[in-house]
């Protein structure tokens, strides 16, 4: 049976329906299969479209954020549960991340995702920074 090639719009539609966790798992699998990192293709794709003066403006406008947990607070178990919910980490890895604060929970996510993750973690009792 012949495989049909998906269009960009079809791919975007598929990604749009995925949760953050599903997208993270896809990204990890993509990076592993093709031996690449997501940061390089995004930066390379953005550079050709930018003009001389627009490059400085594009660099100044931050569109990717890191969600960094700086402290677990008194409800460490709840914070670990929320970290697991935001990531694909197992229990031990999530506990190690929380114990090793300050540590990045999510890296290079859009502002909306970063703010939602910050709210969830702070509601669980963690101290969180967006970088």
């Amino acid at each position: 049976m012949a495989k049909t090639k998906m269009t960009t719009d079809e791919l975007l539609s598929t990604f749009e329906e995925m949760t953050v966790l599903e997208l993270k798992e896809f990204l990890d699998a993509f990076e592993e299969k093709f031996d690449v990192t997501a940061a390089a293709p995004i930066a390379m794709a953005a550079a050709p479209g930018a003009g001389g003066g627009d490059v400085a403006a594009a660099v100044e406008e931050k569109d990717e954020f890191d969600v960094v947990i700086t402290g677990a607070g008194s409800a460490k178990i709840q914070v670990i549960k929320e970290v697991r919910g935001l990531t694909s980490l197992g229990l031990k890895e999530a506990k190690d991340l929380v114990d090793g604060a300050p540590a990045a929970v999510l890296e290079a996510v859009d502002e909306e995702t970063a703010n939602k993750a910050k709210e969830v973690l702070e509601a669980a009792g963690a101290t969180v920074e967006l970088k």
Side-chain angles (χ1 to χ4, degrees), residues 21 38 81 88-89 101:
L21 180 58
K81 287 180 182 179
S88 60
L89 297 176

Side-chain angles (χ1 to χ4, degrees), residues 2 4 37 41 65 70 77 79-80 109-110 124:
T4 59
T37 61
F65 296 86
T70 57
I77 293 172
V79 173
I80 292 169
V109 295
D110 62 75

Side-chain angles (χ1 to χ4, degrees), residues 59-81:
V59 170
E60 290 177 18
E61 184 180 328
K62 188 167 181 148
D63 61 350
E64 290 186 345
F65 296 86
D66 293 343
V67 180
V68 178
I69 189 168
T70 57
S74 61
K76 187 168 122 179
I77 293 172
Q78 187 60 33
V79 173
I80 292 169
K81 287 180 182 179

Side-chain angles (χ1 to χ4, degrees), residues 24-42 44:
K24 171 80 172 104
E25 289 172 352
F26 169 78
L27 180 61
D28 291 343
F30 184 91
E31 288 175 343
E32 185 177 320
K33 178 163 180 79
F34 295 104
D35 194 29
V36 296
T37 61
I42 292 171
M44 292 173 67

Side-chain angles (χ1 to χ4, degrees), residues 107-120:
E107 295 179 333
V109 295
D110 62 75
E111 185 174 11
E112 182 181 348
T113 303
N115 285 327
K116 285 181 181 178
K118 181 179 180 185
E119 287 176 22
V120 167

Side-chain angles (χ1 to χ4, degrees), residues 5-18 23 26 30:
K5 186 175 179 182
M6 292 180 75
T7 66
T8 300
D9 289 336
E10 291 171 329
L11 284 169
L12 289 173
S13 177
T14 301
F15 292 139
E16 188 175 60
E17 295 172 6
M18 297 174 83
L23 284 170
F26 169 78
F30 184 91

